[in-house]
Structure formats: C-alpha cells, structure tokens
Amino acid sequence: MSKEVVLTGLRSNDEFHLGNYLGAILPMVELQKKHAGEYQLHMFIPDLHSFTTPIDHSKLFAQTIDNLKVFVAAGLDINNPNTLIYRQSYIPAHSEMTWILNCFSYFGELSRMTEFKDKSSKSDSENISAGLFTYPVLMAADILLYDAKWIPVGDDQRQHLEFTRNLAIRMNNKFGKLFVVPEDSPKQQKFSNRTESVRIRSLRNPDKKMSKSIEDPAGTILLSDTPEAASKKVMEATTDSVGVVHYDWEKQPGITNLMQILDLLNNSAGIAKKWEGKTSYGDLKTEVASAVNDFMRGLQSKLAQIDEAKLIKKLEKDEETMSQLASAKLLKVQQAVGLRPKAIKH
Ligand code: ADP
Ligand code: TRP
C-alpha cells in the first residue's frame, strides 16, 4: 500500500521573521525528521496564494527561492526521497482544480471564514480581491489533489481545513469516492503535536504577535537583520514593572516572550526556567540577545553556503513528479463532473 500523505505549505509573500522560523519552519523540519520514511511528505510553497493581498510583485520570484533556502538552512534534507518540495504555480492542475471546486463551494461558507473577515476588514471594500475570498478553495485543491490525510497547520488555518473536509465529503457524496477526506481537527492536532501553538510576540508590543505587518519594525526580528541589529532589538524589548521574572503570558508577556525565545533557540531544553524568580531583567535580556546573535550568525552562514542550483534542480524534479500525480487526479474529477469521457471499463 502506498504511504499516507502529509502535506503542508508556507506562504512566501514576504521575507521571514523569527516568529515564522520558530513557529512554522522549525516544526516543519521536525516533522521531516520524525516522519520521513513512514509517510510521503509534501512541503510546498503556495506561491499563487502570495498575492491575495497586495505585494511587491518584483520581489516575489526571488523571495520564493530565498525562503526555501531558509528551510534548508534550518535543517530540511532535500535529498530525502520521501520529501517532495514544489511550487504550487508550477503545477497547473492546482488552478484548474480550483475552478471546479469553486463551483461546489458556497458563498455563505466562504463568507464565514475568519481570516477573510479579518483581512478584508483592514482594507476598503474596493480593494478586497476575489482571490482573498476564494483563498480557501485553492487551499482545498492543494490538499485534495494529492489525497493528503495529514495537514499540520497552525490554529489560524484550522477553519480552512474544516472547509476542505466539508467540500471533499460533499463532492464524494455527489460523485462517488473522488477524494481522501483529511482527518478532523482533533486528530490533526494530535498528529502534529501542536496543541499549544507557538506564538512569538512582538518585542515592542508583546500583546501582539511578531509580524511583518505590524508597524513597529523594532518589534520584529527579520532573518535578514544583522546579528547586531537583532540583539539590539532584544536589549530594547518592552518588559514590565513587576521587577521579578515569572513565566506568565497574562501579566508579563514581554518577559515571558523572551524566555520562550531562549527556550526555543536552545531546542526547548528548559534553559529559561533558571530565570524564574530572578530580579535582573537586564541579565535575562543579555542572555537572550546573545542567543539570538549566535542563532543569526549560524543561520546566515548556512544560508550563504547553500547550493542554489542543486535546490532548483530538486524543485524541478519534484514539480515534474507532482504534475503527473496531480493531472491524474484532475482527470478523475473532470470525468466525474462531465468534462471528459468516463474511462472505459474492460
Ligand atoms: P505574518 O503574520 O508575519 O504575515 P504569516 O501569517 O504569513 O506571517 O505566517 C506564516 C506562518 O508563520 C504561519 O504558519 C504562522 O502560524 C507562522 N507565524 C507567523 N507569525 C508567527 C509568530 N509571531 N509566532 C509563531 N508563528 C508565527
Ligand atoms: N493557507 C496557509 C497559510 O496561510 C498556506 C497554505 C496554502 C496551506 N495551501 C495549503 C497550508 C495547504 C497547508 C495545506 O499558512
């Protein structure tokens, strides 16, 4: 029997920050270490999802490759035969499947998607693209084309996964067994061990998550910052006036965030615990700043050594393999909806 498919994608519309690295990239690399061999792993770049909100298009292509390099620097093994790495837009079946799925998706259910409501409330209605509205349908195509069962995603994407499940069940009921229905949220959470998802907070505004979209750049460590600039941001992080270190997201989010960063940079070895009850915020900051500085130095030196030609070769090889797989599934769906003649049974 063929291996179950684990599939996950990380958008590349912007350069990565420390929050993306610790919250999304490291868990993906861990996933490969833990599951490659047992499963077929799809780690793809959903580049068509990159401009559902406005971006600088002149940077997109290079950004995609640069972001992929971060995965490799973080430890992703591109030689692993059970790991497939590809760009969504290089496999036309994703777009074609999306159109078909669009016609079986309901306006009402898409209108209820929290991510759409959040993002669309931030711009004036003339600028909200239809792509932002149908974003979850393209995501469903990404998943259903490969019969993926396990989709490790953060909390913010769970609703999209439920939508995908409902759509798959709806299509299977109407046309017979077309798709593998991905597992439900509780099983997915158990699988990816992400019951408590990591949320790195802004260093300036620790009630908010670290994000590229937040105004204050001093709160966000970009992976392209110099190690010195990154550690300076840590030293200038907003804390509180309690005066004693406690791991407490409610009352001391700034300090707790620094402890979390320290722990994650040390492979979650519980190093930050030793700061509990101490009274010198300055010393804690110095230790975190030094850990961030070392991390940035290490990462940037690994990035500089990556063989880009080899990476692109791997991408192109996997994109060819995936195109064949995806086209076979698309044909099955085209036959079901009446766009192609049914296969003749011998
Ligand atoms: P941003 O908020 O900077 O625009 P995205 O929404 O594009 O980042 O996030 C891409 C991935 O990185 C998602 O899987 C998300 O869960 C993860 N991520 C983003 N910001 C953080 C953060 N501050 N802490 C942990 N994970 C994060
Ligand atoms: N929507 C996901 C995000 O913003 C990215 C994504 C696109 C994805 N297609 C996917 C994730 C399919 C998992 C499976 O993080």
Side-chain angles (χ1 to χ4, degrees):
M1 225 185 77
S2 55
K3 291 182 171 126
E4 288 180 0
V5 173
V6 182
L7 179 145
T8 190
L10 192 54
R11 290 197 304 151
S12 65
N13 36 322
D14 237 322
E15 62 177 301
F16 289 142
H17 51 73
L18 189 64
N20 299 133
Y21 188 90
L22 298 175
I25 297 166
L26 271 191
M28 279 202 203
V29 173
E30 278 304 305
L31 189 84
Q32 188 195 40
K33 291 204 174 110
K34 211 163 107 195
H35 291 303
E38 216 180 320
Y39 295 90
Q40 183 175 307
L41 292 191
H42 293 216
M43 294 188 169
F44 78 106
I45 302 274
D47 52 354
L48 290 167
H49 275 114
S50 297
F51 43 94
T52 49
T53 49
I55 58 156
D56 179 350
H57 290 268
S58 68
K59 291 195 180 138
L60 179 60
F61 187 81
Q63 189 75 69
T64 306
I65 303 292
D66 284 348
N67 285 2
L68 211 51
K69 285 186 186 167
V70 176
F71 283 92
V72 181
L76 187 76
D77 174 12
I78 62 166
N79 297 316
N80 186 299
N82 293 309
T83 305
L84 297 144
I85 308 172
Y86 52 96
R87 291 159 291 188
Q88 182 189 41
S89 75
Y90 277 71
I91 300 153
H94 285 247
S95 308
E96 295 180 40
M97 181 71 103
T98 299
W99 178 257
I100 297 175
L101 296 181
N102 257 324
C103 299
F104 296 91
S105 304
Y106 301 136
F107 180 82
E109 61 186 344
L110 290 173
S111 310
R112 286 192 292 276
M113 294 292 138
T114 317
E115 191 170 276
F116 173 73
K117 287 198 273 187
D118 281 355
K119 288 197 174 159
S120 58
S121 67
K122 284 181 194 141
S123 41
D124 74 74
S125 60
E126 280 302 308
N127 293 330
I128 301 162
S129 73
L132 183 65
F133 187 67
T134 59
Y135 182 112
V137 186
L138 177 56
M139 184 161 162
D142 298 337
I143 296 168
L144 301 179
L145 268 174
Y146 305 99
D147 282 333
K149 193 166 174 184
W150 303 106
I151 329 290
V153 284
D155 302 342
D156 52 340
Q157 297 300 312
R158 229 157 255 152
Q159 200 186 14
H160 293 163
L161 198 55
E162 277 310 309
F163 163 78
T164 303
R165 275 173 53 77
N166 291 338
L167 185 57
I169 293 169
R170 187 178 306 150
M171 301 278 288
N172 283 352
N173 284 341
K174 194 168 169 63
F175 298 109
K177 198 161 169 16
L178 274 183
F179 301 119
V180 165
V181 179
E183 294 290 356
D184 62 18
S185 276
K187 286 204 186 123
Q188 297 284 354
Q189 265 172 283
K190 219 169 148 203
F191 177 82
S192 57
N193 218 350
R194 279 205 201 174
T195 31
E196 215 182 295
S197 25
V198 170
R199 270 271 167 274
I200 305 297
R201 309 287 180 93
S202 156
L203 296 170
R204 275 305 165 95
N205 192 350
D207 288 325
K208 297 221 164 79
K209 68 167 201 164
M210 184 179 282
S211 170
K212 256 315 278 287
S213 23
I214 287 178
E215 295 289 291
D216 180 13
T220 301
I221 294 178
L222 297 176
L223 298 184
S224 60
D225 281 348
T226 62
E228 293 71 30
S231 36
K232 189 158 174 270
K233 287 179 183 176
V234 173
M235 291 309 290
E236 289 169 0
T238 302
T239 53
D240 55 68
S241 54
V242 176
V244 183
V245 173
H246 288 304
Y247 195 92
D248 183 339
W249 286 112
E250 286 287 310
K251 298 197 188 89
Q252 296 180 257
I255 282 290
T256 308
N257 191 35
L258 293 178
M259 291 167 88
Q260 173 175 250
I261 291 173
L262 187 60
D263 250 355
L264 291 169
L265 289 179
N266 285 291
N267 303 316
S268 305
I271 285 202
K273 261 198 204 135
K274 72 171 190 219
W275 288 98
E276 189 70 36
K278 298 257 166 66
T279 51
S280 171
Y281 287 6
D283 290 347
L284 169 61
K285 278 186 172 177
T286 307
E287 181 164 343
V288 181
S290 152
V292 166
N293 193 298
D294 288 350
F295 160 74
M296 297 287 283
R297 242 172 246 292
L299 182 79
Q300 289 173 4
S301 118
K302 280 187 205 136
L303 280 171
Q305 289 164 30
I306 290 171
D307 182 343
E308 185 168 318
K310 199 173 149 208
L311 182 60
I312 291 183
K313 231 171 153 183
K314 159 77 177 165
L315 269 179
E316 289 173 351
K317 182 169 158 272
D318 285 355
E319 281 155 4
E320 215 180 298
T321 311
M322 293 295 103
S323 283
Q324 284 173 16
L325 261 182
S327 298
K329 178 58 105 184
L330 177 66
L331 177 62
K332 215 174 144 193
V333 176
Q334 287 171 323
Q335 286 170 332
V337 301
L339 291 170
R340 296 286 182 276
K342 289 245 155 83
I344 301 157
K345 286 194 185 106
H346 294 288

